[in-house]
Amino acid sequence: MLYESMLLLGVLALTFLVPYLMLGVGFEIAPPGWFAWLHIFAVLGAYFVWYWRRHGQTLAMQTWWLKLVDAQEGCHPTAARCWLRYALCWPSVLLFGIGLLWALVDRDRQFLHDRLSGTCIVLLPPATKA
């Protein structure tokens, strides 16, 4: 999560800070706070869903050989399932990490948002060098 957070800082700097600085400095406009949070939610959602849908992995997940798959089929999850997982991640993390701690008692060691969205994180075998 720490590595993913560092990558997300770059994503947010490009897609959030730069436009808001341009609006503020160039036009002296400050969007309302609720719009800023909605913007952050949408930008991060687009990042996660695009990577999960396309590769099954974000950049940080690629580093740790983790992949998101459909829990029943074992293939890439659908876009709807990815958006559901993303939406469920927020309360899972923000409610004192209860959805993450759920993995300690889950029979399959899944996070609560994975269990509810029908997804699963699997550990890939490391690539062998030829």
Side-chain angles (χ1 to χ4, degrees), residues 67-87:
K67 186 173 184 176
L68 183 71
V69 296
D70 185 289
Q72 293 178 353
E73 304 291 324
C75 58
H76 292 302
T78 64
R81 201 171 288 268
C82 289
W83 276 109
L84 177 61
R85 181 181 195 268
Y86 172 71

Side-chain angles (χ1 to χ4, degrees), residues 11 17 30 45 50 52 58 60 63 73 96 105 107-108 115 120 122 124 129:
V11 170
L17 290 177
W50 188 74
W52 289 337
T58 62
T63 302
E73 304 291 324
F96 307 104
V105 297
R107 71 178 182 273
D108 299 321
R115 176 70 63 195
C120 179
V122 295
L124 299 174
K129 295 183 180 180

Side-chain angles (χ1 to χ4, degrees), residues 26-86:
F27 301 102
E28 296 181 5
I29 299 172
W34 65 267
F35 183 79
W37 282 109
L38 183 63
H39 184 197
I40 290 172
F41 183 83
V43 164
L44 294 181
Y47 167 83
F48 282 112
V49 170
W50 188 74
Y51 272 105
W52 289 337
R53 185 71 189 113
R54 187 159 184 220
H55 305 290
Q57 303 170 292
T58 62
L59 296 173
M61 291 171 78
Q62 290 173 26
T63 302
W64 298 105
W65 302 95
L66 300 173
K67 186 173 184 176
L68 183 71
V69 296
D70 185 289
Q72 293 178 353
E73 304 291 324
C75 58
H76 292 302
T78 64
R81 201 171 288 268
C82 289
W83 276 109
L84 177 61
R85 181 181 195 268
Y86 172 71

Side-chain angles (χ1 to χ4, degrees), residues 89-111:
C89 283
W90 282 88
S92 185
V93 172
L94 293 178
L95 294 174
F96 307 104
I98 192 72
L100 303 177
L101 295 173
W102 176 266
L104 297 174
V105 297
D106 187 87
R107 71 178 182 273
D108 299 321
R109 299 291 184 226
Q110 288 186 346
F111 297 128

